Amino acid sequence: MKKTAIMGFGNPVRSDDGVGCYVIDQLRESLGEQPGVNLFDMGTSAFEVLFQLRGHERILIVDAVINTGETPGTLYKLPAHEVEAAIQDDPMVFLHSLKWDQALSYARKILLNDYPDDIQVYLIAVDNLKLEVNLSDVVKDAGDRVVALMREDILRTV
Amino acid sequence: MATQKELNISPVGRVEGDLDVKVYMEDGVVTRAHTQAAMFRGFEKIMQGKDPQAGLIVTPRICGICGGSHLYCASSALDTAWKTTLPPNALLLRAIGQATETIQSIPRWFYAIFATDMANKKFANKPLYDEVVKRFAAYVGTSFQQGVSASGRPVEVYALFGGQWPHSSYMVPGGVMCAPTLKDITRAHAIMNQFRKDWLESLWLGCSIERYMQIKTWDDLMAWVEENDSQRNSDLGLFIRASLEFGLHKFGQGVGKFIAYGTYLHKDHYQKPTVEGRNAALISRSGFFDGKKYHVFDHLSIKEHVGHAWYADVPAAHPWDEPMPTPLQSHTLADSNFNEKYSWSKAPRYMDMAAEAGPLARVLMNANPDNLLPHQVFDPLFGDVIEKLGTNVFTRTLARVHEAARLYTQIDEWLRQVDLNDEFYIKPEERDGKGFGATEAARGALAHWIEIEDGVIKNYQVMAPTTWNVGPNDDRGNPGPIEAALEGTEIEDPHDPVEVGMVARSFDSCLVCTVHAHDGKSGKEMAKFKL
């Protein structure tokens, strides 16, 4: 089986933005320690992707997504190259506003042959980013769906 | 007839919360500027009524870049409120955490954010341009990759003690929640050494840290650049030469007043944490510099103005006295009325003056010859630099990168001072009261204020360094530091206003990492990927 990293992004103090971290928490409980699988609560870091990618052949990412025009809780799964973003496209990017999609394009340039080409991204549509520490029910359900899908995926390949 | 122009600079289609800038130009020169930002405020609401220690868990989540700095503040605020006792080891390990977070930010910010602008076509006719592009161009620059890769090392040290980076909660009132072994300390030394060999001395300085630390004046620095090829052609040598050639010392002045809260509380001078005893316990000093003289820092001289922020009007107040804010309707840059409210950022003022926070403020405080205690840093370099060159994009950036060498030696020294047989935590007693915790995050002065009543949080205020820098006009119409720094900037190409970006980026604002959601609009057609 390919050595796998599962990374959840988001901010648990911004309501539904925290769903990525929730998925990692749930996986920790339901999967436990699996050989060849590392779970990362990435929080709001972005650059760290570059350093955590190393040594893995397969990456699963989960994050919230806004501006999709769909109802909250809508679930997407797509290969990372669909969302990779070049930093030059944004003249006003700061260290804080860097996101993992931009960090991935850095990583591809920096890791070259070590860049894992198997990166799948789960995105959950959200629109409530208020300063609160709870997930809404629809987003939590979508998070649970991602947990189930990832769990199935891992247990099938182990 | 002067040509007048307005320019809206706004990252298109992003989440609320980036820095948007409106500049007014006359004949290609900025005459006035407004910064519009969605800063992280509203913490008060989350924290109210919660356990006093909630800040230790919640505030490091504010940010994926300076979570350690928030933790430093949150634990310190509780130390002063609960009147804890801190063992020397705890102060050392907190300082190591803060310093590793700050030092990692230096190459990361310089290569990933700042230096890429020096490769902009605006400078294509300059003699050093080709060399700058070869080294600093985004992705493909030879130093870019090494610098960005090296930046990952120092926070590995943070993770040894903190368990993870970012978002750790290992600093707690009464000390730290870890008990490192000799193996951890040895490993930390090895990681830092690698950082020194891979980047700091080899690529960045082109000389030993000891040699670089001998520089005391602007002339010393210029002599250092020309001393030999290794220093001349180091990334720092190139950055200095190219900055002067490209004219980065000619714009981005700002308000000329500086605030630093100072940081790194000394292991032997802060075992009984109090707000009053803090200034004297600092290693990197606090202060307010009004452009002519230094003032002793007193947090009670801070007030926040909301006249131009999207909150219901209240008189300017100190964070302990601020009422729960009432948010009002916000507007886009194009629809904002700049005579009224136009930003989510409040406008902090010190003794009623706007002040710049950040590395430049820090190194200026370290140049203050007065009230110096034996354990405190004295480094006269930037007193001289500011006198000779003033404040600008170049000196602001130079200040930030100047810190790397000293931080390295401090981390090394603190690691050696940890006494593995001594304690790391002394259990405190909870009590009601007020607390103040502060530090210097990589980007400058950061503070948390807490008030505890009946065993729960009554008021919790977080003021980030960027609030100082990116804030709007105050109630008397005086601009904030970035607004002021943009004035007088010559913009060569309104379609690519790189100068505005350089000024704003020289402050390295922290704005949006509080919301991390991916933006569907920036991806391709997403509908076909629905599950």
Side-chain angles (χ1 to χ4, degrees), chain A residues 3 30 51 68 71 77 79 88 93 101 114 117 151:
Chain A
K3 197 158 187 267
S30 69
F51 305 105
T68 58
T71 51
K77 184 185 180 187
Q88 292 100 318
V93 84
D101 51 359
D114 295 337
D117 51 11
R151 215 174 146 251

Side-chain angles (χ1 to χ4, degrees), chain B residues 257-262 285-290 297-299 301-302 348-351 353-362 364-365 440 443-446 465 468-469 481:
Chain B
K257 297 178 174 63
F258 298 87
I259 180 118
Y261 300 160
R285 289 180 286 158
S286 60
F288 172 71
F289 181 66
D290 67 12
F297 172 70
D298 174 5
H299 80 98
S301 298
I302 297 171
R349 294 295 181 261
Y350 190 84
M351 303 194 312
M353 289 178 268
E356 174 175 330
L360 184 52
R362 275 198 290 274
L364 272 171
M365 299 317 153
E440 286 290 323
R443 288 145 198 81
L446 172 71
W468 283 100
N469 293 335

Side-chain angles (χ1 to χ4, degrees), chain A residues 11 14 17 41 44 47-48 63-67 70 75 77 87-88 90-91 96-97 101 105-106 131, chain B residues 14 41 46 61 64 108 139 144 148 165 167 443 505 510 512-514 516-520 529-531:
Chain A
N11 195 340
R14 298 299 296 260
D17 191 44
D41 168 357
T44 54
F47 240 108
E48 276 9 77
D63 195 1
V65 58
I66 49 162
N67 292 333
E70 295 278 357
L75 185 58
K77 184 185 180 187
I87 190 171
Q88 292 100 318
D90 185 350
H96 286 75
S97 47
D101 51 359
S105 58
Y106 271 123
L131 278 163
Chain B
R14 285 187 147 265
R41 297 314 294 254
I46 288 194
R61 287 277 176 184
R108 194 170 290 197
Y139 304 136
F144 177 93
V148 169
W165 187 89
H167 312 314
R443 288 145 198 81
R505 286 176 180 191
C510 47
V512 294
C513 70
T514 55
H516 207 287
H518 183 71
D519 195 344
F529 297 110
K530 258 202 271 189
L531 285 185

